[in-house]
Every structure is written in structure tokens, then in C-alpha cells.
Amino acid sequence: MAQLIKVHSCISRYEMDLYRYQSQFLRLKKQQWQMIKLAYENNEFQHFVSRQTETLDEAEGKEEKENFLSMVRKKIGKKEETLSYDLTNPADDQQTDTMELIFHSVPRSMEELKVKFMNHIFRFQMKWATSTIREKSYADASFFEDERLHELLQKLPDQHLIMYHPVFKMKNTSIALDPILISPREIVCIHYLEGEQHDVFEGSSERFWTVNPGGHEKKQLSPLISLNRTGTIVKQLLRERNIKLEIKKVLVCKNGFVEFPQAPYDVTIADKRNFSQWFQIYRDSSTPIKHDQLKAAEILLSQCLIDSFRRND
């Protein structure tokens, strides 16, 4: 699963310490998967199912779960503290951030287990991308149901970092950008074309594009305006800090078609005809996280606007 390091203008843990949290996420996800997979294989998954409908005495249930966790730790062969799931802040902050394993039912297959696990991790990713230990943003509810965000996070490998519609502060203004995929070898600025199933977008260098020409056609603002703005800002920020990662720009139209024979050389079009092939390149990537990748992400995060947050009580 890719890592969500920024959502719009929400405050994010990764902004506090990118290097620490990206490595903690990888370690924690691996540990949690080991635990629930072992529980499932040993018919002990009920220990992670909410007890709201059970009549088992609370103290007895707690003791039973502790005995089970102790057994799991021995089988996995790790020290107890590595499986505690308490992510502790630096020494001067004694508060903890706990990632609880709680599900509503026992999965019927290993595939269902994987789906439940990924949805569980997604919710935790949203928590990290919209809060710190002490502060919390008001994230729009639509992000939690966003299919594009789910696809990026759940289908791309761990070493990819996602900034989803970040808002950058540039001089005296704020600018909302397209989603940014920070991979080990390159940075990809992605613009999703909005439309209905099988829509045809006729591209041009003009300010407006035509949707479904010759039929019930309509005009739509050129997506290149937003995509070029995102690419230009990212390139400028990284050039100033001497980061050499390649910047790519992609127009995504997963369920429709883009007809644009005169498309700029630096823009890739991933429509219904070739989206799967384009996306598979990143899904198959096995390149580990790189130093320049993390440095680039840190630079971009430092430029992000943070607003709409409150201090927790």
C-alpha cells in the first residue's frame, strides 16, 4: 500500500517528521498483517472482532485476548514491544498514538481478509494524514469514499508516497494542485478527467476542450491548465533545492477516451485504452525508497498550506 502523506490542507504527521513516520508505517503494517494472518490461520480471528454483541465478562475477555497475543508474539518470534502497536512520540512527549486492530466480523477467505486489512489500514492512513498527536483537521468526508484515492493507496506498493490534492502556499496566495505521486525514481503529477462512462474528450491547445463532439457535446476547461500548473510548481521547488528527480505529467481518463493527436510531448494520456498498462508499471515497481525521493517529499510538504485544524482537548 502506498503512503498518504498529505490530504488537501489538512495537517499531517508526515509534515512533523517524514523520515520517522514513513518507516514506522511500513513496520507497523507488516507487524499487523503478520498478527491477523496468523490469527486467521489458527482460527483465532475472533479476538480482533468487536465484542459489542458478546456477553463474555469484560475482564475475562481481556485476559483471554492477552493470552492470545502472548501466544502470537512467541510464534512470530518478535519481542513484545515490537508488537504493541503504540507509536510513541519523542522522549519529550509521553502521549501515544495507537493503531487498534478491531473488525466487525470474521472473514470467510484469505482474499476477504486482505480486503478487510487494506480498508483498516486506509482508515488509519486517513488519520495520520489529517492529524498529529495534538491537533486534528476537519477533513471533507468525501475523501474517505474517494475511489481514486483508494486505488492509489491500495494498489500501489509501499514505497510510493501520495499527496492528494495538496494546497501549496506560494508567496501571498494559496494554490490547489492535482494529486502528486512521489515514486523512488520520479514524481508524477496526475489530473483526473471528470466525465461519464465512455465519454470522449477532444483535446486541443485552446482554453476549452470539447466533450463528446458531434453528439450532445459540451465545453470543459482544459485539464492542461491545472496539470501544467502542478508540474511547473513542483519542478520549480525541486530545482531550487537541486533535486534531480524527473517530473512527469499524466492525464487520466480511466473510463473514457481522450482524442488529442497534438498532445504536448511531456504529457502522458492514460485513458480507457491504456490506463491498465500505464498503472501496472507503478504497481510492478520493486525499487526501494530512495533518499532523493524522501528529500523531494519533504520539500513539497514544507510548502503546503495547513489550515482548518483544532487543538485536541
Side-chain angles (χ1 to χ4, degrees):
M1 294 182 71
Q3 299 191 56
L4 180 61
I5 65 173
K6 185 68 178 179
V7 174
H8 199 56
S9 58
C10 296
I11 194 168
S12 164
R13 278 162 172 74
Y14 291 91
E15 289 168 312
M16 306 301 108
D17 191 336
L18 173 66
Y19 292 85
R20 172 183 171 228
Y21 278 107
Q22 65 85 21
S23 62
Q24 275 190 335
F25 173 81
L26 297 179
R27 183 175 69 251
L28 185 63
K29 184 172 71 71
K30 180 179 179 181
Q31 290 174 346
Q32 285 213 322
W33 173 246
Q34 288 178 325
M35 178 166 281
I36 67 167
K37 183 173 181 288
L38 183 60
Y40 180 78
E41 292 172 342
N42 286 275
N43 296 317
E44 297 283 359
F45 194 85
Q46 66 270 18
H47 290 288
F48 297 116
V49 177
S50 172
R51 292 183 176 275
Q52 292 178 356
T53 60
E54 297 186 15
T55 59
L56 185 64
D57 178 79
E58 193 172 313
E60 179 184 347
K62 183 177 180 181
E63 180 180 357
E64 180 185 350
K65 186 170 182 177
E66 284 302 315
N67 290 337
F68 166 72
L69 293 178
S70 178
M71 177 273 291
V72 170
R73 289 174 184 126
K74 290 179 182 179
K75 286 194 174 185
I76 294 180
K78 293 183 179 292
K79 295 181 180 179
E80 182 172 336
E81 57 266 29
T82 65
L83 288 168
S84 66
Y85 305 124
D86 286 342
L87 299 185
T88 308
N89 255 12
D92 60 343
D93 190 341
Q94 297 303 313
Q95 300 185 64
T96 59
D97 184 20
T98 304
M99 185 176 183
E100 295 184 82
L101 281 165
I102 299 177
F103 298 87
H104 297 299
S105 62
V106 177
R108 291 167 292 185
S109 65
M110 184 61 71
E111 285 305 309
E112 185 179 337
L113 174 66
K114 292 177 181 178
V115 172
K116 284 180 177 291
F117 178 70
M118 286 194 294
N119 289 335
H120 166 73
I121 296 296
F122 175 80
R123 291 190 295 273
F124 189 75
Q125 287 179 303
M126 286 298 297
K127 178 183 176 182
W128 270 20
T130 59
S131 68
T132 65
I133 294 294
R134 296 176 175 175
E135 295 168 326
K136 181 179 180 179
S137 291
Y138 294 97
D140 192 296
S142 63
F143 288 119
F144 291 85
E145 304 298 329
D146 193 310
E147 293 182 3
R148 294 163 177 170
L149 180 56
H150 274 268
E151 181 173 54
L152 288 172
L153 294 179
Q154 296 185 347
K155 293 187 178 182
L156 291 177
D158 294 342
Q159 65 271 26
H160 293 80
L161 309 177
I162 304 295
M163 301 179 73
Y164 202 66
H165 294 289
V167 179
F168 279 26
K169 52 182 186 293
M170 305 296 292
K171 296 183 179 179
N172 297 320
T173 188
S174 59
I175 303 175
L177 301 183
D178 287 321
I180 301 170
L181 165 62
I182 307 171
S183 77
R185 297 185 181 278
E186 61 200 21
I187 295 179
V188 187
C189 305
I190 304 172
H191 184 93
Y192 291 95
L193 280 166
E194 303 284 352
E196 302 296 329
Q197 188 82 355
H198 308 307
D199 271 352
V200 177
F201 296 83
E202 185 176 73
S204 74
S205 59
E206 303 298 323
R207 182 172 176 79
F208 290 92
W209 284 20
T210 302
V211 185
N212 296 324
H216 299 288
E217 68 176 47
K218 58 182 178 180
K219 297 295 183 180
Q220 178 174 309
L221 188 67
S222 170
L224 294 182
I225 296 173
S226 176
L227 185 59
N228 287 334
R229 178 170 59 237
T230 301
T232 298
I233 290 175
V234 170
K235 185 177 294 186
Q236 174 188 333
L237 291 171
L238 298 188
R239 184 188 297 125
E240 291 173 355
R241 301 293 291 274
N242 201 32
I243 300 297
K244 305 294 187 182
L245 287 176
E246 184 179 1
I247 312 298
K248 292 188 175 181
K249 296 181 290 186
V250 181
L251 276 178
V252 172
C253 185
K254 187 177 179 180
N255 297 316
F257 304 90
V258 178
E259 299 298 340
F260 195 3
Q262 305 298 322
Y265 73 93
D266 61 345
V267 173
T268 297
I269 295 175
D271 65 6
K272 189 172 184 177
R273 291 167 290 199
N274 67 329
F275 172 82
S276 296
Q277 295 93 321
W278 169 78
F279 197 54
Q280 196 66 38
I281 293 173
Y282 296 94
R283 295 190 67 181
D284 291 341
S285 173
S286 59
T287 305
I289 288 177
K290 299 288 189 180
H291 173 73
D292 277 357
Q293 176 192 10
L294 293 178
K295 190 64 180 176
E298 189 175 47
I299 292 168
L300 296 179
L301 283 172
S302 70
Q303 200 66 36
C304 287
L305 178 71
I306 303 174
D307 64 10
S308 301
F309 66 88
R310 63 173 173 83
R311 185 171 295 277
N312 290 333
D313 295 328

